Amino acid sequence: MYNKKRIAKTVIALMTSALFIQAVPAHADSVHVAKEGDTFYTLSKQYGIAMNTIMKANQNISPYNIYGGLKITIPNNENKSKTAPTQTKSQKKAVTAASLNVNTDNKVVQAWGKTFDYKKTLNVKATAYSAHPSENGGWGPVDYFGNPLKLGTIAVDPKVIPFGTKVLVTGHTHPGLPKQAFVATALDTGGAIKGNRIDIFIPGSQQFVSTFGFQDIELYILE
């Protein structure tokens, strides 16, 4: 009798375990915790998954606002060899940067497959700043209006670029920024930001952000 009960309990335990294993997805998505410099393109190469597939799985995340600590869903790559297109070296290079086309007659600029109407262009000297308190007047990681600093925030001289103005930033170089072009909003200012000067917020450590230095860039003031 004892052996029969023991065998019965063992059978039930094995059946329960089998049901549990079947209930767990065999190919669940994973989560990637972003680090400085990550982009959807670099993640597509790291995990061997088409960039568009990762972007579709993270539609709530802007490709212009990937920062350290952000959680990004990495879809199951079970069929990556069948679905991920083969890219040539030139095609891979093209994906990393915005395709910037400008129609000066109609004042239209195209970047990242999107079309923007612009009022004018403005050449400015640009620097970059982090969320470190020493770079924010002791106010913490917030802009002039108290909003959390994020990629796409720039500090301006409001006499030159009014607060709330949206611009397309072009001509910059830094691993913490989208390549070639990105949309930013004038939401911050600073004592040293006078005239044709802007300060670009970049998520990351002071040391990482400081490598931006001083750069001459061109802004498209968007409609």
Side-chain angles (χ1 to χ4, degrees):
M1 178 67 72
Y2 173 76
N3 289 337
K4 288 183 179 180
K5 288 183 178 180
R6 186 173 183 179
I7 292 172
K9 289 181 179 180
T10 302
V11 171
I12 292 172
L14 290 173
M15 290 177 65
T16 303
S17 298
L19 290 172
F20 176 77
I21 292 172
Q22 291 178 358
V24 176
H27 301 285
D29 295 344
S30 59
V31 175
H32 172 88
V33 179
K35 60 182 182 302
E36 292 178 347
D38 276 351
T39 65
F40 283 133
Y41 174 73
T42 60
L43 294 179
S44 75
K45 305 311 297 175
Q46 179 178 340
Y47 290 96
I49 303 173
M51 183 174 69
N52 287 341
T53 301
I54 298 178
M55 293 179 71
K56 286 180 181 179
N58 297 275
Q59 295 184 24
N60 61 324
I61 298 177
S62 168
Y64 309 129
N65 193 27
I66 297 177
Y67 51 86
L70 182 67
K71 293 183 178 180
I72 300 174
T73 299
I74 303 299
N76 160 41
N77 63 349
E78 180 185 15
N79 298 317
K80 66 180 180 180
S81 59
K82 298 179 181 179
T83 59
T86 302
Q87 295 178 320
T88 65
K89 186 175 181 180
S90 60
Q91 286 175 325
K92 291 177 183 177
K93 184 177 180 181
V95 172
T96 64
S99 177
L100 193 64
N101 297 307
V102 183
N103 184 325
T104 55
D105 292 334
N106 296 322
K107 289 192 174 182
V108 171
V109 57
Q110 292 180 326
W112 298 105
K114 296 183 179 181
T115 301
F116 304 92
D117 295 318
Y118 69 93
K119 301 176 184 178
K120 63 178 181 178
T121 61
L122 186 66
N123 293 314
V124 300
K125 180 75 72 175
T127 51
Y129 67 111
S130 72
H132 194 277
S134 66
E135 298 184 65
N136 294 280
W139 294 104
V142 295
D143 62 26
Y144 181 78
F145 299 93
N147 304 306
L149 292 171
K150 62 181 181 179
L151 189 61
T153 297
I154 58 172
V156 301
D157 181 345
K159 294 180 181 178
V160 177
I161 303 175
F163 284 132
T165 300
K166 289 189 176 297
V167 302
L168 186 69
V169 182
T170 70
H172 55 278
T173 302
H174 191 276
L177 294 173
K179 294 188 177 181
Q180 193 170 346
F182 68 97
V183 176
T185 307
L187 293 172
D188 209 355
T189 189
I193 310 303
K194 301 295 182 183
N196 285 21
R197 276 284 312 277
I198 69 168
D199 209 10
I200 302 171
F201 173 73
I202 300 178
S205 64
Q206 274 188 298
Q207 183 178 5
F208 174 71
V209 174
S210 66
T211 59
F212 184 93
F214 288 84
Q215 298 185 24
D216 294 310
I217 66 174
E218 185 173 28
L219 302 180
Y220 290 82
I221 310 299
L222 302 180
E223 294 281 3

